[in-house]
């Protein structure tokens, strides 16, 4: 490693930058963390990480495995060691404060928060077959990629062209799929976000490829603008905090319902946690193990239906007086190979939103039958080399 301090600086900015910013960038903390990471790199991180990559990844490809590697562990360990002396450093500079409140506040801003990742894990299900009939072609995951190196399927996949130019599904609210069986049979899928991605393969040669499918409930008096996504933005804490306690600018359920009935808007949202997401969604400090996307209902939907976070240990779930009202699900799967017979990341990762049928009817009536739309956006891209940044920019 020729420039360990430069590499350490990049690690700190990448893994810890959001939390340091949220803590107000205390004087000297970032520099101290970089110093500690630099020392760790020269002592043990480089050989340990090399061993990890030999065991967990194929060294001939550029994509790191989905694992907690030594570089991230070193950055986290350095932050916690440096932050442990933060109050003493402030005291030496003449800034005194109550120990308990200071420590609690610093910990809340600097800790690696695992709550969203834990809820995402609790919401995981086997990949569901629920999706609008127009997207039936997407049920076969990544058909263009054959592990056996036999003839691959067409690219873009068959059926893609039939929806590539659509921004709304033709049957409006009737286009949304319903769950066939299980505990949520009959519930309506008002949001779907799935990415199917395969790596660059060396033999036979094939570029990295990706298909992204998005479906979302929208309120719109006309056709939604082309080139946009049928999703908005929302804080993931809509799943965990009563909407009246969040700084959302919402105070009454009635006003939220009126806004939905008169304003063009997406009513499904990509939240501020996840490993990827909308380009202009600011990322929140979050823990390991997050899926690519965490969906939520738009804040005004939560307010208009007056939903509250479900009690007890659960994934993404909101309730009303009757019981469970709206849930978010996660899935990923189909591990594929790049020709070197080494395991890679899942080729398919997705999320959806399900709403109880009676609440869907109520929400549909609030939107208005002529304004209720099933928005859709389907994209594909191909790259000569597997490039996460290029793919995620398309998201």
């Amino acid at each position: 490693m020729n420039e360990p301090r430069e590499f350490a600086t990049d690690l700190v900015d990448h893994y810890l930058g959001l939390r340091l910013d949220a803590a107000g960038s205390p004087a000297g903390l970032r520099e101290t963390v970089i110093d500690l990471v630099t020392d760790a790199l020269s002592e043990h991180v480089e050989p340990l990480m090399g061993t990890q990559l030999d065991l967990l990844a194929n060294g001939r490809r550029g994509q790191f495995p989905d694992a907690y590697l030594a570089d991230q562990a070193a950055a986290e360990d350095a932050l916690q060691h440096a932050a442990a002396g933060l109050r003493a450093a402030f005291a030496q500079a003449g800034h005194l404060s109550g120990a308990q409140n200071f420590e609690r506040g610093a910990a809340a801003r600097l800790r690696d928060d695992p709550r969203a990742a834990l809820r995402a894990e609790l919401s995981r299900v086997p990949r569901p077959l629920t999706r609008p009939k127009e997207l039936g072609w997407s049920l076969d995951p990544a058909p263009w990629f054959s592990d056996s190196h036999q003839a691959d399927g067409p690219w873009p996949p068959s059926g893609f062209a039939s929806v590539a130019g659509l921004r709304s599904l033709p049957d409006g609210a009737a286009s949304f799929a319903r769950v066939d069986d299980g505990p949520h049979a009959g519930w309506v899928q008002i949001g779907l976000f799935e990415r199917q991605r395969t790596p660059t393969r060396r033999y036979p040669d094939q570029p990295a490829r990706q298909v992204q499918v998005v479906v979302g409930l929208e309120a719109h008096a006309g056709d939604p603008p082309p080139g946009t996504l049928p999703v908005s933005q929302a804080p993931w804490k809509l799943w965990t905090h009563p909407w009246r306690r969040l700084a959302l600018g919402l105070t009454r359920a009635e006003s939220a319902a009126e806004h939905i009935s008169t304003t063009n808007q997406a009513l499904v949202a990509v939240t501020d946690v996840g490993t990827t997401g909308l380009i202009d969604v600011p990322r929140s400090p979050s823990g390991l193990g997050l899926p690519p996307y965490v969906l939520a209902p738009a804040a005004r939907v939560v307010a208009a239906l007056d939903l509250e976070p479900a009690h007890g240990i659960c994934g993404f779930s909101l309730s009303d007086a009757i019981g469970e009202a709206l849930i978010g699900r996660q899935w990923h799967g189909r591990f594929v190979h790049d020709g070197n017979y080494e395991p890679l990341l899942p080729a398919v990762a997705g999320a959806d939103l399900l709403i109880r049928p009676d609440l869907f009817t109520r929400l549909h009536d609030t939107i208005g039958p002529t304004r209720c739309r099933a928005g859709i956006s389907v994209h594909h891209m191909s790259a000569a080399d597997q490039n996460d940044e290029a793919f995620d920019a398309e998201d």
Side-chain angles (χ1 to χ4, degrees), residues 23 26-29 81-91 102-103 106 109-110:
L29 179 59
H81 276 82
L86 191 57
R87 182 168 164 267
F90 271 83
F102 181 90
E103 297 292 348
R109 293 187 295 270
L110 292 173

Side-chain angles (χ1 to χ4, degrees), residues 54-338:
D54 287 341
L55 295 173
L56 299 172
N58 180 346
R60 285 173 287 181
R61 63 182 174 84
Q63 191 177 62
F64 280 12
D66 188 14
Y68 188 45
L69 300 178
D71 61 338
Q72 189 162 354
E76 186 65 38
D77 185 63
L79 174 63
Q80 300 307 324
H81 276 82
L86 191 57
R87 182 168 164 267
F90 271 83
Q92 290 177 351
H95 303 291
L96 300 176
S97 60
Q100 189 173 15
N101 288 338
F102 181 90
E103 297 292 348
R104 184 185 296 114
R109 293 187 295 270
L110 292 173
R111 70 184 177 191
D112 189 19
D113 188 350
R115 289 173 295 179
L118 290 173
R119 285 183 177 264
E121 184 63 24
L122 290 171
S123 71
R124 278 184 59 187
V125 297
R127 183 174 181 250
L129 303 181
T130 309
R131 60 193 61 203
K133 66 179 185 298
E134 290 86 354
L135 294 174
W137 57 270
S138 68
L139 287 172
D140 185 8
W144 61 86
F145 191 93
S146 170
D147 286 332
S148 66
H149 299 172
Q150 301 301 314
D152 296 316
W155 176 259
S158 299
F160 179 91
S162 65
V163 294
L166 291 182
R167 185 53 183 78
S168 291
L169 293 175
D171 296 330
S175 298
F176 289 111
R178 292 179 180 256
V179 179
D180 290 331
D181 50 26
H184 299 99
W187 285 40
V188 185
Q189 184 191 63
I190 59 170
L192 169 68
F193 210 129
E194 185 174 82
R195 181 185 68 193
Q196 301 183 20
R197 173 158 58 177
T198 56
T200 301
R201 188 169 64 190
R202 309 301 184 225
Y203 180 78
D205 290 341
Q206 188 181 83
R209 288 169 172 167
Q210 173 174 299
V211 166
Q212 177 180 280
V213 175
V214 188
V215 177
L217 175 64
E218 293 184 284
H220 214 286
D223 293 329
T228 59
L229 291 176
V231 289
S232 59
Q233 305 171 16
W236 85 271
K237 289 185 177 179
L238 279 169
W239 291 112
T240 60
H241 292 64
W243 61 270
R244 289 183 175 86
R245 298 182 186 177
L246 297 174
L248 301 173
L250 303 173
T251 57
R252 295 171 58 248
E254 295 80 6
S255 60
E258 181 180 358
H259 194 274
I260 289 174
S261 68
T262 58
T263 306
N264 296 336
Q265 59 191 293
L267 300 177
V268 170
V270 175
T271 68
D272 54 0
V273 292
T275 57
T276 58
L278 301 180
I279 296 172
D280 56 349
V281 174
R283 315 312 295 159
S284 288
S286 54
L288 295 168
L290 286 168
Y293 312 101
V294 175
L295 300 182
R300 284 191 170 84
V301 171
V302 179
L305 300 178
D306 201 14
L307 304 180
E308 297 287 339
H311 295 297
I313 299 173
C314 63
F316 300 122
S317 178
L318 297 173
S319 299
D320 61 8
I322 296 176
E324 195 174 41
L326 196 151
I327 67 167
R329 304 188 297 182
Q330 302 284 335
W331 61 88
H332 66 263
R334 197 192 170 189
F335 288 80
V336 296
H337 301 270
D338 67 352

Side-chain angles (χ1 to χ4, degrees), residues 256-258 260-262 304-305 361-368 371:
E258 181 180 358
I260 289 174
S261 68
T262 58
L305 300 178
T361 299
R362 179 177 160 190
L363 188 55
H364 176 266
D365 292 343
T366 300
I367 297 169
R371 300 180 66 252

